[in-house]
Every structure is written in C-alpha cells, then in structure tokens.
Amino acid sequence: GSCRVSMSITEIRSGFNTIKANIQARDPIRTLSILSYPHSLHKVKSSDRCCVSHQLFTFYMDKVFRHCRTEDSYINRKISSIANSFLSVRRSLQQCQEQNKCVCGQESTEKLKQVLVNYEELNVTAAAMKSLGELDILLDWMEKES
Amino acid sequence: EDALLPAPQNISILSTNMKHFLTWSPVIVQGETVRYSVEFQGEYEREYANESWIPISECSLMAATECNITDDISATVAYNLRVRANAGTRRSEWGTLTGFFNRITTSLTPPLMKVIADGYHLLVELEDMGPAFQFCVLYWKKGQESRMQQKMVKEVNSVVHLDTMEAGLDYCVKAQAYVEAINRSSSFSQTQCVRAQGGTSLWL
Amino acid sequence: GELYCSLPNPRNVHFESVNMKNVLHWSAPEGTGDGVLYKVKYSVYGVGKWIRKPECRNINRTWCDLSSETSDYEEQYYASVKAFLNGRCSDWVETARFNPLTDTKIDPPVVSVSSTEKSIAIILTAPEKWKRSPAGESVSLLQVYPGLQYNVSVLNKKTKKRWFFSISNNTLLVPWLEPGTAYCVSAQIRVPTPLLHSGFSKEHCISTLKDKTSGETA
C-alpha cells in the first residue's frame, strides 16, 4: 500500500516564509544547491518518493537544524517550530518504512548520496544554513507530488 | 549570596481552540516587583539539541503570570515548559510544568453558527476561529436525518451558501470545527432549523 | 578600480511577478539624475554561471523582463543590476532568491455570467501562465497549481445580501433566484498550498429575466 502522511505543509511553509529571506541571505553561494544539484528533486520517480522524503527528513533532523542556531532568538524559535514539525512527520514516514510502504530503490540511495556529497562540499554551518534555505525546494516538490 | 526566590508554583496550561497559555501563581516578595521569564523545549530539542531550552522573548522579565505560547507550540509533539521568577538581582530556580504538553490535547469548542434562509437558499454564517480551522457543516431536510449532506468550509467568508431548498420545507444545520494539524474535530454545534420561502420562516 | 566603480548602487532590486511574468525592477542610484545606464545578468540557483541579458544592456529604463529566462518554475533564480554614468560604475546589486512558484502574484479569474428567469450561470477562467508569444502554448495556472479553487461572491442588489461559494471546478449555477433582479458576481482564486490568493475580480452584474407574468423589481 502507499504511505499516507498527514502533514501540515502549510504550517511548516508559513513558519519558513517568515525566516526565508533572513536564512537565504546568510547563504552567499549561488553556484551550489544541496537538494537540486545535479538533478532536481522533480526528476525523482514516484516509486522512490516516499523513501527520498524519509531520507531527506532524516537528513534535516541529523545534519541541518542543529547547526543553524543564530544570534536572533526569533529565528531560533521558528527553526525550532520547523524542526519539531519535521520530527513528527518523520515519525510517520518511519512507520511507513517499518510497514514496507516506503521502499528504497537505487535512485533514492543515489539521490541521498548526492545530497551528502553536496553537503560535504561546504563547512558544516554553511552547508546547514544552505540546506535550511532550500526548504521551499523540498516543500514545493512534496506539494507537487501530493 | 542573596536568598533564592521561591520558584513559581501551580504551573499549568490553558489550551482552547489551538490557543495555548502557560499560567502560574505569583511569587510574592514584599516591597519588590517580581518578573518572570518563560522557556520551552520541544521533542526535537530533547532528542537532537542537547536538551536545550529556548526563551520566549515576549515572556521575558514580564510582570504578568500568564504567557501566550501559541506561536511556539506549532508542532504536534510533546513540549516541556518552565518559568523562573526574578526580583532585582535575585532569581528563583526554574519551575517546570508537570508532564509534557502536546497541542493535540487542546479543547475544541463547537463553532458559533447562524443559519439563514434567504428565499430558497440555505446559508450559514460561521465564527472565524483562526487559520488552523476548517468546518464540517451537515444539513438535511427536517425529519430526513438519514439523508444528511456535508460541506467542508475551509475559509470563513461571512455568509456561506450551502444549497437550494424546496419551497416551504424545513431544513436543519449543524457544524463542527476541524483542525487538520492535529486531525481532531470539536463536538457539533446546536442544530438550527429554518424554513424555505413558500412558508413562514420559523426558528424551530 | 576604486574610482571606476564608485557610483552609488541601484536600489531596491527585486522581482515583480504576476502570473509568472517575472520582471526585474530597481530604483536609480541615489543622487544620480538622468543619463544613468544599466546592465543586467541573472543566474539559476545552484548552477555555476551568471548569464548576461543582451536586451537589457546599456538601458536607461529601470526594469528588465526576465520572464523567458525564469520560466521554469521548478528552478529558483537570482538577478543582478549594475549602473554606469560618465565613466563610473556601481557594484553589481543582487535580488533575493526568487522562487516563481511561491513569489508570483495571481490575477483574479475572468468571470462570465449569463442568466435565465430564475438562475444565473457563472463560468470562471483562471489566468494563463505568462508565455513567450501569443502563438505559444497556453498553460493555465490550474496546471501549475492543481489544488486551485475559486471563492465566488454573489450580491443580490435588491436585498443587498451577499453569498459566498467555494468551488473547485470552474462553473457555478445558482438556481431559484428572483426574476427581474440584478445580481453582481465577483470571484477570487485561492491556492491552498503554497498559500496564494488573487484579489477579487471586478463585479459583473446581470439581471435575471423578468417573470413573464409581472414587471421588473430591482
């Protein structure tokens, strides 16, 4: 069966929208995208969508939010909101995986490997801040597919 | 070192319709104004960020004994909350909410509703309960409860058109609030009935 | 060197986008009168190079249409402007990252209304995405935003009562109305996620036909 995740993208997106300009302004590198390089998420086959989503949510939990603490308490609070929302969504994706509804094919493994390669091109803080600034790329892709 | 202030007591949450408030009893210090600061910690902070706490700037060194934490409780996970008293240079230990708070436990009240018959048209006016809310509106010909019809209202735009009515018949309506973020609904509002044109319009 | 690029920078460099017609706008550098010229470049976020826009080279206007260059709404973009005056120039000044999908504004739908004696029929047409030429392939914003919905307002001019409808398809029939009465219709587009709203369209007023057995009432 397919994996149905009740997820309020609207809430995550509205939280992100309030900090998007600030976060993206902290990323001066135009020539590299963590999520879209070399291939856009939109090229991911639908059969791999669930697994790629689960892997990317895990990537954000493990490697992004914790390195994005800023000097601005308002920004930190919004990042906390997004991170906690990601946590509850990833839990649902985890359940899908445990019920074998979230099969990982070759392509999803490749995609995550490429994301990590892009991530490791930069120092941790720069890579984490760039990844956070690309949250709308992830949300656009998830909304389009849902 | 100055004697510590007593930590705030009776810390509790008031949460209704996705509006969440932390409240506590005042700490009394003769001749001094006591101010309070509030912090929160989500499940993410516990599991991924070394159990760090995040201050709520709107509730930092404030005199009130209530803090609106709605904007920060914006995920359906378990949150810890704590508050500390400050007087001059002295301050208390943290007083921590007993147990976690998850917004899924918010109490949901049925929406205020007004049903209108305008000629042969059945309309409803619903209370604006905030962006998190949608409404499930059920309506039926009086006496035909088994043939209820449903309409989801996602945005409250004053008078919402439900359907057309057969002349002179009575139609009844009830509504419940639904919050997608926690996947829960309120109980239904009181049923209201109106009569379509072609007969006297009565509140039954 | 220093003197060469000591002209004040263009200001407020930003995209203005309606139905994904994406136009770069800016204000002239502070304190510079006439005669300032500009050039423009853009880049696709994550791709290595800046690309010059020839049609916006040495222009004296303060906008440049980059719709063609930014038409793939699955990508995000930056654009940049540089000013020149009397042998001096400014720095390149960049926009914020531009996401056509979430940063565009949407025009209201086109509303057409017809009436019978006791009903009005409303047909709504979502605006089209910007296209390179009139002969180009038309893409409705409905295809770009599959969750697109319409909010429709119907005002009875006699009773002054306004009703709202929320519909997903583009037609609405409102039956059982009063004959010989004027109704005014306007509509708005709502995209649930990413959350976008158009304004309400201009009101289209129409009268239901007169009841064969009595005169007009409004």
Side-chain angles (χ1 to χ4, degrees), chain C residues 134-216:
Chain C
E137 184 214 349
S138 293
V139 175
S140 165
L141 287 184
L142 192 53
Q143 295 164 255
V144 178
Y145 304 103
L148 185 146
Q149 297 166 341
Y150 302 97
N151 288 335
V152 183
S153 147
V154 176
L155 171 69
N156 179 325
K157 290 277 276 184
K158 189 174 77 169
T159 64
K160 299 289 189 286
K161 289 182 181 166
R162 186 183 299 276
W163 307 342
F164 280 93
F165 299 76
S166 189
I167 57 174
S168 296
N169 56 355
N170 69 329
T171 56
L172 174 64
L173 177 72
V174 186
W176 294 104
L177 299 175
E178 294 179 55
T181 304
Y183 291 87
C184 293
V185 176
S186 75
Q188 164 193 52
I189 281 174
R190 174 178 181 269
V191 177
T193 183
L195 189 57
L196 297 170
H197 279 96
S198 74
F200 267 93
S201 66
K202 185 167 63 66
E203 274 197 336
H204 285 253
C205 298
I206 192 167
S207 284
T208 47
L209 304 181
K210 273 184 264 178
D211 189 341
K212 303 283 186 309
T213 58
S214 70
E216 182 167 336

Side-chain angles (χ1 to χ4, degrees), chain B residues 37-130:
Chain B
S37 296
V38 174
E39 294 186 346
F40 72 91
Q41 178 196 72
E43 201 167 330
Y44 169 79
E45 280 73 31
R46 283 194 300 284
E47 289 185 15
Y48 288 85
N50 312 311
E51 304 198 351
S52 54
W53 289 85
I54 299 177
I56 299 179
S57 36
E58 293 83 357
C59 301
S60 179
L61 296 175
M62 61 170 195
T65 58
E66 176 183 279
C67 172
N68 184 343
I69 58 174
T70 304
D71 284 352
D72 292 292
I73 308 294
S74 57
T76 308
V77 295
Y79 282 86
N80 261 328
L81 289 137
R82 68 182 185 182
V83 56
R84 171 164 62 184
N86 303 265
T89 60
R90 293 187 298 153
R91 63 186 178 188
S92 74
E93 292 294 336
W94 288 103
T96 304
L97 177 71
T98 309
F100 295 119
F101 170 64
N102 188 320
R103 65 178 185 174
I104 206 165
T105 62
T106 192
S107 71
L108 295 175
T109 61
L112 298 177
M113 175 184 81
K114 178 181 173 192
V115 179
I116 302 159
D118 187 349
Y120 299 108
H121 294 265
L122 181 60
L123 305 138
V124 67
E125 222 169 337
L126 290 158
E127 167 194 12
D128 185 350
M129 296 175 75

Side-chain angles (χ1 to χ4, degrees), chain A residues 43-56:
Chain A
K43 304 284 191 285
V44 169
K45 289 205 305 282
S46 58
S47 55
D48 279 290
R49 204 170 74 78
C50 179
C51 177
V52 169
S53 304
H54 183 235
Q55 290 180 329
L56 288 179

